[in-house]
Amino acid sequence: QVQLVESGGGLVQAGGSLRLSCAASGSIVSINAMGWSRQAPGKLRELVATMSKAGTTNYADAVKGRFTISRDFAKNTVYLQMNSLKPEDTGVYYCNAAVQTGPTRHSASWGQGTQVTVSS
């Protein structure tokens, strides 16, 4: 079993910043990609940012230039630095990871989500 625990969400005014953290623990051999998705009320979950094991990053167009994803590989932790926040960034942010849990076993794990609310 793999557990992902997010932290760092909260309420912030438009233009402000927040930093999300997500730590993975459990039966981990190695972690490949880690990333963040979000879900706004009444909308589908959407990908925000990912980082591969090699350090390659991808961002949704809506957050490019404002959000930065990073990883601490030694701590199995991924971060999301969010700057210049907008009300449309409001939603529940979920951490996800592609984890190798055994010699031939892989799993996709999700965190429980952390609320981010941006007021106008």
Side-chain angles (χ1 to χ4, degrees), residues 34-36 49-51 57 59 67-71 78-80:
M34 295 189 80
W36 294 91
T50 62
M51 177 178 275
T57 58
Y59 296 93
F67 291 11
T68 302
I69 188 171
S70 61
R71 288 175 65 174
V78 63
Y79 305 95
L80 187 68

Side-chain angles (χ1 to χ4, degrees), residues 70-92:
S70 61
R71 288 175 65 174
D72 184 329
F73 291 89
K75 295 183 179 180
N76 290 333
T77 300
V78 63
Y79 305 95
L80 187 68
Q81 178 66 44
M82 304 186 294
N83 298 329
S84 302
L85 282 161
K86 304 175 181 179
E88 50 264 44
D89 294 318
T90 294
V92 179

